[in-house]
Amino acid sequence: VTRDISMVIPKNVLAGQIEEVIEQKGGSHLESFKLFDIYEGAQIEKGFKSMAYSLVFRAHDKTLGENEISAAMKKIMNGLNGLGIELRS
């Protein structure tokens, strides 16, 4: 299962900090993740940047349910919120 998240991030937060949270909070079914977009410009508030990641979840012994993916994504976002990061709307 692939999920993309686009976030508004304070400029002082580094990609490594974000990736550390994703790894720690993603759980055992998080197979991989990849940064695919960074944007700074007119549509983003001054002092912030937009970053987007693609996350892949996989279980080798069963089909993952939506509730399992949602729970992992919620844990990741709770961790990212601690860095001042919000989902981009």
Side-chain angles (χ1 to χ4, degrees), residues 1-3 5 18-34 53-60 64 68-69 72-73 76:
V1 176
T2 302
R3 289 285 189 272
I5 53 172
I18 295 166
E19 293 170 5
E20 188 175 313
V21 170
I22 292 172
E23 285 178 356
Q24 289 176 352
K25 304 289 184 180
S28 61
H29 298 306
L30 178 65
E31 181 177 81
S32 64
F33 57 90
K34 180 180 177 181
Y53 281 85
S54 183
L55 290 77
V56 177
F57 295 90
R58 183 184 321 265
H60 296 284
L64 291 175
E68 293 168 295
I69 303 301
M73 290 298 293
I76 290 169

Side-chain angles (χ1 to χ4, degrees), residues 2-47:
T2 302
R3 289 285 189 272
D4 292 343
I5 53 172
S6 181
M7 305 163 284
V8 177
I9 300 160
K11 280 190 177 182
N12 65 334
V13 175
L14 305 175
Q17 292 172 277
I18 295 166
E19 293 170 5
E20 188 175 313
V21 170
I22 292 172
E23 285 178 356
Q24 289 176 352
K25 304 289 184 180
S28 61
H29 298 306
L30 178 65
E31 181 177 81
S32 64
F33 57 90
K34 180 180 177 181
L35 174 65
F36 69 87
D37 186 49
I38 300 175
Y39 174 77
E40 294 181 45
Q43 297 175 356
I44 304 297
E45 185 179 340
K46 195 170 186 80

